[in-house]
């Protein structure tokens, strides 16, 4: 059995800072062990795995609320529901990529219009943004 960790050692083991641990506790993603009188809280070493899971899920674009759902699904061993949540997140990311590509095309067109303009007082970018 692994030794219990102080909050600082837990943070180091998980690759985060102490405030991140406290924030996850406030959000209900991580339990705070009881504090003994005159002592420090001791976290089970396996909590580092949970913190790493939370961080990796954030990198993949999951919100903390969605991560809470993933953690609950993990505890319930409901892989089908976990897959559905991940598929929904993937669809959301794909839509954002499509939206960003459209924004890129429009802005690219505006920049090209500006580049081919006469440099006069009328700016095609400003005109396009003020059109009704």
């Amino acid at each position: 059995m692994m030794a219990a960790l102080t909050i600082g050692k837990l943070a180091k083991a998980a690759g985060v800072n102490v405030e991140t641990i406290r924030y996850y506790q406030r959000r209900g993603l991580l339990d705070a062990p009881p504090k003994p009188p005159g002592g420090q809280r001791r976290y089970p070493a396996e909590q580092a795995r949970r913190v790493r899971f939370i961080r990796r899920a954030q990198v993949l674009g999951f919100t903390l609320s969605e991560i809470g759902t993933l953690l609950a699904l993990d505890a319930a061993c409901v892989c089908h529901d976990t897959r559905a949540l991940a598929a929904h997140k993937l669809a959301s990311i794909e839509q954002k990529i499509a939206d960003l590509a459209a924004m890129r095309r429009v802005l690219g067109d505006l920049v090209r219009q500006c580049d081919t303009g006469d440099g006069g007082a009328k700016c095609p970018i400003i005109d396009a943004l003020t059109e009704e």
Side-chain angles (χ1 to χ4, degrees):
M1 184 172 149
M2 298 178 81
L5 307 172
T6 62
I7 193 169
K9 288 183 180 178
L10 172 62
K12 185 175 181 176
V16 300
N17 64 48
V18 169
E19 287 308 311
T20 300
I21 301 292
R22 291 185 178 127
Y23 181 67
Y24 291 165
Q25 289 172 339
R26 287 192 302 273
R27 292 296 306 262
L29 299 172
L30 195 64
D31 292 330
K35 184 175 180 181
Q40 290 184 313
R41 297 181 198 276
R42 297 290 177 170
Y43 295 80
E46 62 268 7
Q47 288 288 41
R49 180 180 177 274
R50 185 177 182 103
V51 174
R52 284 191 297 272
F53 171 90
I54 295 167
R55 294 296 294 163
R56 289 176 184 150
Q58 284 182 295
V59 168
L60 291 176
F62 288 98
T63 65
L64 291 180
S65 177
E66 290 168 332
I67 292 168
T69 301
L70 286 171
L71 290 167
L73 291 170
D74 179 44
C77 299
V78 188
C79 188
H80 181 269
D81 292 348
T82 304
R83 186 207 175 280
L85 182 61
H88 182 270
K89 178 53 72 177
L90 178 60
S92 173
I93 290 169
E94 288 171 347
Q95 182 61 53
K96 287 178 185 177
I97 290 170
D99 292 345
L100 287 169
M103 291 166 58
R104 181 181 183 193
R105 278 191 306 277
V106 170
L107 284 173
D109 290 345
L110 289 172
V111 168
R112 281 187 291 284
Q113 288 176 25
C114 199
D115 289 344
T116 60
D118 61 9
K122 297 283 281 174
C123 176
I125 296 171
I126 299 297
D127 286 348
L129 295 175
T130 57
E131 285 180 357
E132 288 187 33

